[in-house]
Amino acid sequence: MSETPRGTVLFPGAGSFGGEFRPLIRELEPLAWLAKYPGRFGRDFGTPAESFDQVVRLCTEQVSTRQLECPVLLGHSFGACVAYATAAMLEEAGRAISALVVVGATAPTRIAVPASATSTPSGTAAYLDNVDPTALTDLPSEEWREVVAETAMHDLRLLGQFPALQCKPVRCPVLAVRGDSDPLTSDAGIGEWEHATHGACSQHVFSGGHSDFLRSPDFASWFLEARGELG
């Protein structure tokens, strides 16, 4: 058996800096890390990506440089689409992926970004308030709320490019997850992820909205069990 660790790569949602994953990272450390989108971290904080494809290529490079055997890619909302496209690119390059976990994201064929969510930061803030009421209210300052709204606006604009990429179906299994009161998803919507993989596709529904259940012990327990069943 290889001694190379199997890790989990986490892809945050639109405007997020990874806060929704903190409890899960504590459960998984040291074998979990956040994919770093351009414009979010370090010297490139103020230099966002010019295209969705650029985000995917940079995330693919990050995973490729880590010595992870058959990693699990877990993405939330916008991050689910990035994770899916990253998995497809990694598999095309010959890298094996244990599983793709897509949370709070309808299947790629159903993606539709409202124009009001990408026109102005205030429009994006209104969209976030409707989809995930805690996304902005839990932030420590008005300055941070403005940063998150502007970042989310840019991410959603990039997401509008995603269907045009026409990713090939991945070979790894897909685990599609939603909260039962999430306004962005439905059982039918996540069920259509089956068309995005040549492998198995399963659905899991938690009590909660768009992202709050990600911080729950139930989700962490479910994920740990699901990851263990991958072998």
Side-chain angles (χ1 to χ4, degrees), residues 14 52 56 76-85 102-115 117-118 127 155-167 184-186 188-190 192-193 196 210:
F52 188 88
V56 173
H76 174 239
S77 198
F78 167 80
C81 296
V82 179
Y84 166 51
V102 290
V103 182
T106 193
T109 53
R110 287 183 172 232
I111 290 175
V113 182
T118 60
Y127 174 79
D155 289 344
L156 292 172
R157 287 175 177 174
L158 297 184
L159 184 60
Q161 304 171 5
F162 174 61
L165 294 179
Q166 298 180 339
C167 292
L184 282 188
T185 62
S186 65
I190 67 169
E192 289 188 16
W193 276 100
H210 186 60

Side-chain angles (χ1 to χ4, degrees), residues 48-168:
E50 295 181 358
S51 68
F52 188 88
D53 184 63
Q54 183 185 357
V55 177
V56 173
R57 291 186 180 281
L58 288 172
C59 288
T60 301
E61 290 175 8
Q62 291 170 44
V63 179
S64 297
T65 58
R66 300 229 174 195
Q67 297 302 309
L68 302 174
E69 181 180 0
C70 298
V72 176
L73 307 188
L74 189 162
H76 174 239
S77 198
F78 167 80
C81 296
V82 179
Y84 166 51
T86 299
M89 189 170 288
L90 286 166
E91 288 185 340
E92 188 174 355
R95 290 289 302 274
I97 305 298
S98 287
L100 172 65
V101 184
V102 290
V103 182
T106 193
T109 53
R110 287 183 172 232
I111 290 175
V113 182
S116 60
T118 60
S119 55
T120 63
S122 61
T124 305
Y127 174 79
L128 292 177
D129 286 340
N130 179 60
V131 170
D132 189 358
T134 64
L136 297 177
T137 58
D138 286 353
L139 296 174
S141 67
E142 182 61 32
E143 181 181 6
W144 261 110
R145 285 188 282 274
E146 291 176 359
V147 168
V148 169
E150 290 178 2
T151 303
M153 179 181 68
H154 184 76
D155 289 344
L156 292 172
R157 287 175 177 174
L158 297 184
L159 184 60
Q161 304 171 5
F162 174 61
L165 294 179
Q166 298 180 339
C167 292
K168 296 179 180 178

Side-chain angles (χ1 to χ4, degrees), residues 10 18 21-30 32-34:
L10 304 168
F21 291 131
R22 286 194 192 109
L24 188 59
I25 289 174
R26 286 195 293 268
E27 290 284 346
L28 298 173
E29 61 185 0
W33 54 276
L34 287 173

